[in-house]
Amino acid sequence: MSIQSIINRFKRSEQSSTHLYVVVQPSALFFSSSLHSELPRQVELNGQPWQQVLTDTLQGLTITHVKLDVVLHSSLYKTYQIDKPNVPEEELAQALPFLLKELISERISDVIIDSMYLSTNNKLQVYVVDKGLVSQLYRTLMALSIELERVLVEDEIWGHSAGELSHFLLLQRSQQGAFRVSAFINSQSAFQRTMRGITPPLTGVASSALQLDGIALELQRSIDYLSSQLRSAPLHTMMICCDEESQQEMVEALNQRLSVKTARLSEQAEWSGEILVRVCENLPHAEINLFPEELRPKKEYVTLTNIAIGWGFAAILLVVVAANLYYQQRDLTQQLAEHTRQQAAFKQQMTQLTEQLNQHKPSAAKEAAIARLQLEIDANQSALAAVEKFVQSQQVGYSSVLRSLATLGRNDISLQTIRIDGNGLDLTGLAQSPQAIPNWVNQFKHELSLVGRTFEQLKIGRNEQDIITFELKTQRESN
């Protein structure tokens, strides 16, 4: 699927309310769901060119500003199958005219070519239509304010007409058309053949067993040929869609004569054009589009009118910008004048305040008196702090310390003197052994009044009776 097909698919989904399908058949034009209450679903050609009938119908009902997809009958285009060329896909469109120049009688510049790869074999299915037909149709519709969106081929549409069945044969005839047998593999048209010498009707009062035998013989030949050529995709079902025939009678007659099963394509009494319209309305995308983008006239944006309009807009924009700048400048000038006046007033006020400040500067005698008073205040604050510290120490007291020492009394330690002040605790005494002293001090952490007290000096000795003496001081003696 090409990129343009994807883009067209999204465009149709966004603008489905303004999209119209028309199917061209040999005897009539068939339209999709009416955008206009008076637009008929079918318009007979009555021997007139279908382009003229289409134009007259749309113009007569004043239908404008819609997107139109045209589905061409098989008699309006040609099909070819060629070997898949060994060229990149992005260069295939440019290479196709050279690949077909030996097969077509028209000049390459006079035709439009599109193609798709067949999934069953290494072939390329090519469709060719006259460029003049498409160009004239585009210009005619543009004059009616109708945009030609795509030009489709009915061979591709028939491939999606059997519902979920993607491998099938199709015997089809449109009103005033010829009998055609087609083969579809993966919903792609892999084989088409127009059956000559078969005159309708084949069923009804004017039917002939010889006619049915003749068409059955031709169909069986095509079936045998396809069986030998398409071994990887066997075809077991033939669908019947023939206008002006009794579909059920044809199915019963061909079931008795063919090696494949036959069935009706539509259970309702629908014309071929009606079936194609219904399939188009539900078709997700189409691989073949005989109205390429390069055929659309390029819109000229750099014209004298557009340039004049552009200069007009530019002039208006410049005037607006200049007026805006002028008003901004005027506002800024007024603000600057106001700020200048404020600055002068502030300078005058600063001069006055400076003079007042100079008048209120203290004399040297006052500054000396202030310094003396500050020293006196500092001395009084130091004294108050010392008194407060002494008061706090008095509030704590020493009774709790003595009770804690008594609680920690040991048989191997004997205290002789205890000296307590606000910051220190000095102890002297006797010990049974040197190890008993640190063990005893280590027990201070279990008493609230002693916890946190540390000793900076420890002296251990012996007295005249050879008993161990010790001194614990919280401060070191000065030398």
Side-chain angles (χ1 to χ4, degrees):
M1 181 173 59
S2 64
I3 297 178
Q4 187 60 36
S5 299
I6 299 175
I7 295 174
N8 291 339
R9 177 183 176 185
F10 281 103
K11 286 182 178 178
R12 290 197 306 277
S13 63
E14 294 174 357
Q15 303 180 0
S16 59
S17 59
T18 60
H19 212 98
L20 182 64
Y21 294 93
V22 57
V23 174
V24 181
Q25 293 287 279
S27 62
L29 298 179
F30 293 84
F31 294 90
S32 61
S33 299
S34 297
L35 302 176
H36 194 283
S37 59
E38 298 180 358
L39 180 63
R41 298 299 298 270
Q42 178 180 347
V43 177
E44 299 294 333
L45 297 181
N46 296 322
Q48 296 181 351
W50 67 268
Q51 300 97 320
Q52 184 63 42
V53 175
L54 175 61
T55 304
D56 294 342
T57 302
L58 297 176
Q59 188 175 17
L61 298 175
T62 62
I63 295 177
T64 59
H65 301 96
V66 299
K67 294 182 180 295
L68 184 68
D69 280 358
V70 177
V71 181
L72 296 179
H73 185 257
S74 59
S75 61
L76 299 175
Y77 58 86
K78 297 178 182 179
T79 60
Y80 300 92
Q81 274 194 16
I82 61 175
D83 292 331
K84 181 179 178 182
N86 188 21
V87 296
E89 186 172 355
E90 59 272 12
E91 299 177 5
L92 181 60
Q94 290 77 20
L96 274 177
F98 301 97
L99 298 173
L100 291 177
K101 65 180 181 179
E102 301 297 334
L103 299 177
I104 60 178
S105 57
E106 299 89 347
R107 291 188 304 176
I108 297 299
S109 58
D110 295 337
V111 295
I112 300 172
I113 304 173
D114 200 3
S115 65
M116 65 178 177
Y117 290 112
L118 297 180
S119 57
T120 55
N121 50 33
N122 198 29
K123 296 289 185 178
L124 194 67
Q125 184 78 15
V126 183
Y127 296 86
V128 180
V129 71
D130 180 57
K131 181 185 291 186
L133 182 149
V134 178
S135 299
Q136 180 61 34
L137 178 62
Y138 174 76
R139 290 192 295 268
T140 302
L141 293 175
M142 283 300 294
L144 301 177
S145 299
I146 296 175
E147 181 180 352
L148 179 60
E149 184 77 5
R150 297 180 301 173
V151 175
L152 310 178
V153 293
E154 72 169 7
D155 282 340
E156 183 177 5
I157 309 302
W158 283 122
H160 300 273
S161 62
E164 297 181 356
L165 189 62
S166 60
H167 293 46
F168 64 97
L169 294 161
L170 174 66
L171 175 62
Q172 188 271 329
R173 175 185 173 271
S174 301
Q175 187 181 16
Q176 298 182 12
F179 287 97
R180 298 177 73 241
V181 59
S182 305
F184 297 94
I185 306 297
N186 294 326
S187 298
Q188 293 180 323
S189 177
F191 174 82
Q192 312 90 27
R193 177 191 172 193
T194 300
M195 306 182 69
R196 308 295 180 182
I198 307 297
T199 304
L202 300 180
T203 59
V205 178
S207 63
S208 171
L210 293 177
Q211 284 272 78
L212 288 172
D213 290 339
I215 194 171
L217 179 60
E218 295 297 326
L219 290 174
Q220 189 61 52
R221 289 177 180 175
S222 298
I223 294 170
D224 295 339
Y225 170 78
L226 292 172
S227 299
S228 62
Q229 296 296 319
L230 305 175
R231 297 181 182 274
S232 59
L235 300 169
H236 302 297
T237 304
M238 174 173 288
M239 309 304 294
I240 305 297
C241 180
C242 297
D243 295 349
E244 302 178 311
E245 300 285 352
S246 173
Q247 309 284 338
Q248 186 60 34
E249 187 177 342
M250 286 195 66
V251 168
E252 294 174 357
L254 293 178
N255 266 331
Q256 298 174 1
R257 292 172 172 83
L258 300 179
S259 60
V260 296
K261 178 185 176 182
T262 59
R264 297 172 59 176
L265 183 64
S266 174
E267 295 298 328
Q268 302 175 357
E270 293 181 293
W271 296 96
S272 297
E274 293 175 329
I275 296 176
L276 289 172
V277 166
R278 174 166 49 81
V279 175
C280 283
E281 291 177 330
N282 299 285
L283 187 67
H285 70 274
E287 295 186 68
I288 300 299
N289 180 15
L290 294 177
F291 184 52
E293 190 67 28
E294 56 269 16
L295 200 62
R296 303 173 188 267
K298 299 297 184 293
K299 187 175 182 180
E300 295 292 338
Y301 293 98
V302 185
T303 62
L304 182 59
T305 303
N306 291 342
I307 292 175
I309 294 174
W311 279 111
F313 277 116
I316 294 173
L317 181 61
L318 288 176
V319 171
V320 172
V321 172
N324 186 36
L325 292 176
Y326 170 76
Y327 285 112
Q328 287 184 0
Q329 182 183 12
R330 188 181 66 176
D331 293 342
L332 291 175
T333 302
Q334 294 175 354
Q335 292 178 11
L336 178 61
E338 180 66 24
H339 291 162
T340 303
R341 288 193 296 270
Q342 292 179 0
Q343 183 182 14
F346 289 152
K347 283 184 177 180
Q348 184 180 2
Q349 186 179 3
M350 183 180 68
T351 303
Q352 296 174 355
L353 294 176
T354 301
E355 292 176 355
Q356 294 177 5
L357 178 64
N358 293 332
Q359 294 176 0
H360 288 81
K361 284 186 177 180
S363 62
K366 291 181 179 179
E367 291 180 350
I370 292 173
R372 290 193 299 272
L373 291 174
Q374 186 64 43
L375 291 174
E376 184 179 355
I377 290 172
D378 293 342
N380 290 334
Q381 288 179 346
S382 299
L384 289 174
V387 171
E388 183 179 359
K389 185 175 181 181
F390 175 76
V391 172
Q392 290 178 352
S393 63
Q394 292 298 320
Q395 290 176 350
V396 174
Y398 306 120
S399 59
S400 60
V401 177
L402 296 177
R403 282 195 298 270
S404 298
L405 291 175
T407 303
L408 297 177
R410 298 165 56 105
N411 296 329
D412 53 358
I413 294 292
S414 174
L415 291 177
Q416 291 180 323
T417 61
I418 300 173
R419 183 173 180 274
I420 304 175
D421 56 20
N423 296 322
L425 173 65
D426 297 339
L427 303 173
T428 61
L430 304 176
Q432 191 174 15
S433 63
Q435 294 81 4
I437 300 171
N439 292 338
W440 178 63
V441 173
N442 191 40
Q443 290 180 331
F444 283 12
K445 63 183 179 181
H446 299 296
E447 293 294 329
L448 182 62
S449 299
L450 300 177
V451 67
R453 295 183 181 271
T454 58
F455 299 95
E456 296 182 358
Q457 186 174 5
L458 170 64
K459 289 183 179 181
I460 300 177
R462 291 183 181 271
N463 57 15
E464 297 176 352
Q465 288 79 22
D466 198 26
I467 298 174
I468 297 175
T469 63
F470 67 90
E471 294 183 8
L472 290 171
K473 294 185 178 182
T474 55
Q475 295 182 354
R476 296 182 180 276
E477 293 181 348
S478 58
N479 295 328

